[in-house]
Amino acid sequence: MTVAVETGLWQLDATASTVGIRHKAMWGLVTVKGGFGALGGTGEVRPDGSAVGTLTIDVASLDTGSAKRDTHLRSADFFDTDHHPEITFAARSAELRDSDQVHVVGRLTVRGISRPLSLTARLTEGDAPGLTLDTEFSVDRDQFGLGSNQLGMIRGRTTVTAALRFVRATG
């Protein structure tokens, strides 16, 4: 599939986009899954075909299916949403390669700590009304001050999955 994406401004369609997390807990015996319900973002495709953009996630919108666990994840032990209500990813460059692979370089900010992050996304749909990017990558929680690990129950990296639908910005 070769896709030509129109230049200009794009807006995240939050109703058609998802960001989820997966992490092994309970000494690797249980996989905890969750999703963020409130997302925002914008992007710009430049005339040379490269792109930049920002994705913003409302951390308090995380739902893992357990109210008690979600409250703990919002606490100072983990995301500390009272002081850091958003996770942001600022894409400093995104380039389409190999017809549907998008190489993205940017900065991920979690809990007020920013780290460089490079990833590959797949352009699964790209037409005049919109484009969809799918990606999966892992992050080391410790790099973002999310090291709470009572009794060694939580180890390893967290997997992040995203399906992001962008539509032409209006106005």
Side-chain angles (χ1 to χ4, degrees):
M1 170 178 90
T2 300
V3 178
V5 177
E6 289 185 30
T7 61
L9 300 178
W10 295 80
Q11 183 75 39
L12 183 75
D13 180 351
T15 62
S17 299
T18 61
V19 173
I21 57 171
R22 243 182 6 254
H23 195 92
K24 296 272 187 189
M26 303 297 287
W27 304 281
L29 300 173
V30 175
T31 300
V32 174
K33 297 177 183 178
F36 294 94
L39 311 169
T42 58
E44 179 183 4
V45 176
R46 297 174 172 162
D48 68 1
S50 68
V52 295
T54 302
L55 174 67
T56 304
I57 301 167
D58 178 351
V59 183
S61 71
L62 177 61
D63 182 2
T64 65
S66 167
K68 184 177 179 181
R69 178 174 46 226
D70 294 345
T71 298
H72 187 216
L73 289 171
R74 291 181 190 110
S75 77
D77 285 347
F78 285 96
F79 288 110
D80 194 11
T81 57
D82 287 346
H83 298 103
H84 307 285
E86 294 179 339
I87 293 172
T88 59
F89 179 70
R92 297 193 172 164
S93 73
E95 296 177 1
L96 184 61
R97 299 179 180 168
D98 301 326
S99 74
D100 68 346
Q101 300 297 304
V102 180
H103 179 68
V104 182
V105 176
R107 290 195 71 76
L108 179 64
T109 302
V110 180
R111 203 180 155 122
I113 300 169
S114 293
R115 299 279 186 246
L117 177 67
S118 296
L119 58 93
T120 300
R122 194 168 144 256
L123 184 61
T124 59
E125 185 178 357
D127 50 33
L131 61 94
T132 303
L133 295 168
D134 288 338
T135 190
E136 180 174 302
F137 59 92
S138 66
V139 294
D140 181 348
R141 296 176 319 111
D142 292 339
Q143 289 188 333
F144 296 97
L146 300 171
S148 180
N149 189 8
Q150 296 175 341
L151 305 174
M153 290 173 48
I154 304 171
R155 293 187 183 133
R157 298 172 68 86
T158 299
T159 300
V160 178
T161 58
L164 305 174
R165 175 78 176 158
F166 287 88
V167 295
R168 298 290 293 177
T170 57

